[in-house]
Each structure stands twice: as structure tokens, then as C-alpha cells.
Amino acid sequence: DAGVIQSPRHEVTEMGQEVTLRCKPISGHNSLFWYRQTMMRGLELLIYFNNNVPIDDSGMPEDRFSAKMPNASFSTLKIQPSEPRDSAVYFCASRLSLGGGADTQYFGPGTRLTVL
Amino acid sequence: DAKTTQPPSMDCAEGRAANLPCNHSTISGNEYVYWYRQIHSQGPQYIIHGLKNNETNEMASLIITEDRKSSTLILPHATLRDTAVYYCIVRATSGTYKYIFGTGTRLKVLA
């Protein structure tokens, strides 16, 4: 299994530009998570999908951030317009949720975003 | 969601057992304890999880106290490649089942 795939691995952009981060979850997994990691705030959950439906987006910082999951094998996190404070490592994770019991999230390698 | 408390850093000699403690005194009866680690900004890596009983896999052992208020992750023979930040997480019992990451323990394995 290839694991969770994220692209690009590194992104450098200028303030005001649109940024799109991509994630391919592990085949067969039905839940997908987007996290952001910074030195100041650590690892934070941004949004969570179950069966392609957004369930909890309470961690999305503001309207500049949006996430979609058009099908079970692809998700995007978009920032428009980007700001320097958005600089962080963004992780995608997926899991197979069977309901009620233990589950395990598997993380991708992350996208390091730098906004100048 | 139950909170976890971990020491910020620990050192361990290579080849020795590394014992990483975690306090989760407000854990509920049906909440699991998960351990992940993150090596140098890579994605967090799953290690082990448990509910009540002690657990062991090829990576580590998890010892959960009888009252479930604390746990210890044991790496039996630490290597330099085990140097990482280790996160103890209590998983939410309902709703999103989301993880709340704390600040973790930075383990440094010394040669």
C-alpha cells in the first residue's frame, strides 16, 4: 500500500496567491482529516470528512480556507488569498472507520507551505 | 475530551528501554489511549493503542494502570532512529472521534 499521498511536498508562494494542497487517502478508507502544524500551535485539526461529507470544520481558521472531497480517493485544501501566517506544514490523514471501536489514523508526509 | 500530560523531554541510552509516561486522569471509561510519534517533521506515525489491558506489538508495549489514569509507552531497546516526539492521545469517545494532540515528549536516544 502506498499510504497517504500528499502533493506538493513543498510550496512557496507570495501573499495573496491561491494555494491548493492535495491528498489521496489510503484506498478503502472512509474518513479523511486535514491538520496544520506550526511551532506555536502544534498539530491542529482543521477539518474532517466521513464518506466524503464534511463532518467537523470547526478548526478551519477563517473563510480563506476551504476543503473539498469530491470522491473517496481525493481531497483538496485551498487557501485563497494566502497570508504569511498560513505558513505551516499541512498533513492529511485517513482511517477506516467501522464505528464505535478503536480506529487508527494514518498520516501522509505533509506539505510544507511558505507564504512570503 | 480528556486531556493528557507528558514530560516535555527525556533522554535514553541506546539499547536501553525507553519508558515514556502519560497522565490522563480525566479519561472516560470508553476512551482509548493512542500513541504516535513524529520523527523530524515527518507525518505522525502510529505506534500502539489500548483501552484497559496492556498491549504489545512489534514496535512497543503499552502499560495502562488499573484506574486508567495514566499509561506508559515502552520501547524495549531504543535505537538512534527512535529519536522523535512522542504523543499520547486520548481519543474522543463519540462524534468525530478526533485526536487532540498535546505537546508530546521529545525523546532523544543517546549513543
Side-chain angles (χ1 to χ4, degrees):
Chain A
D1 196 329
V4 176
I5 299 172
Q6 292 187 247
S7 65
R9 295 293 309 277
H10 302 273
E11 177 80 35
V12 180
T13 190
E14 293 189 346
M15 183 174 62
Q17 296 297 306
E18 178 180 293
V19 175
T20 299
L21 311 182
R22 297 172 176 80
C23 176
K24 177 179 170 56
I26 293 173
S27 178
H29 282 191
N30 57 359
S31 297
L32 184 140
F33 303 78
W34 282 100
Y35 291 85
R36 177 173 68 176
Q37 186 172 34
T38 61
M39 289 293 292
M40 291 294 294
R41 300 176 66 91
L43 262 165
E44 304 174 280
L45 177 67
L46 299 178
I47 188 170
Y48 149 61
F49 293 86
N50 195 42
N51 294 320
N52 312 336
V53 177
I55 302 299
D56 183 351
D57 64 355
S58 59
M60 295 287 264
E62 49 198 274
D63 292 345
R64 297 184 299 106
F65 285 69
S66 63
K68 294 182 179 179
M69 192 163 187
N71 56 61
S73 58
F74 184 66
S75 177
T76 59
L77 178 67
K78 186 176 293 186
I79 308 172
Q80 166 63 16
S82 58
E83 296 182 3
R85 61 190 168 127
D86 302 330
S87 297
V89 181
Y90 291 81
F91 290 104
C92 176
S94 72
R95 76 169 186 213
L96 174 60
S97 177
L98 300 177
D103 62 12
T104 299
Q105 293 185 26
Y106 296 91
F107 285 76
T111 295
R112 182 174 295 277
L113 173 65
T114 302
V115 183
L116 303 174
Chain B
D1 298 332
K3 290 187 63 176
T4 62
T5 303
Q6 299 178 253
S9 64
M10 293 181 63
D11 290 342
C12 177
E14 188 177 22
R16 303 295 295 268
N19 297 285
L20 293 94
C22 179
N23 181 286
H24 32 78
S25 58
T26 61
I27 193 170
S28 298
N30 56 353
E31 288 182 308
Y32 287 82
V33 178
Y34 280 76
W35 284 83
Y36 280 73
R37 71 181 183 184
Q38 189 173 25
I39 298 173
H40 190 53
S41 297
Q42 296 178 19
Q45 176 190 24
Y46 166 77
I47 301 173
I48 198 167
H49 73 276
L51 183 61
K52 296 179 181 178
N53 301 320
N54 299 335
E55 302 288 343
T56 296
N57 63 19
E58 65 277 5
M59 290 182 67
S61 294
L62 174 60
I63 308 298
I64 303 174
T65 57
E66 193 167 340
D67 63 6
R68 303 187 70 242
K69 293 183 184 300
S70 65
S71 61
T72 301
L73 178 74
I74 301 173
L75 307 178
H77 306 287
T79 71
L80 298 178
R81 285 179 294 182
D82 292 322
T83 293
V85 178
Y86 287 77
Y87 295 99
C88 169
I89 301 161
V90 173
R91 199 208 67 185
T93 185
S94 62
T96 64
Y97 301 98
K98 61 187 181 184
Y99 295 161
I100 308 297
F101 283 85
T103 53
T105 295
R106 185 173 297 277
L107 175 69
K108 187 173 183 179
V109 180
L110 306 172

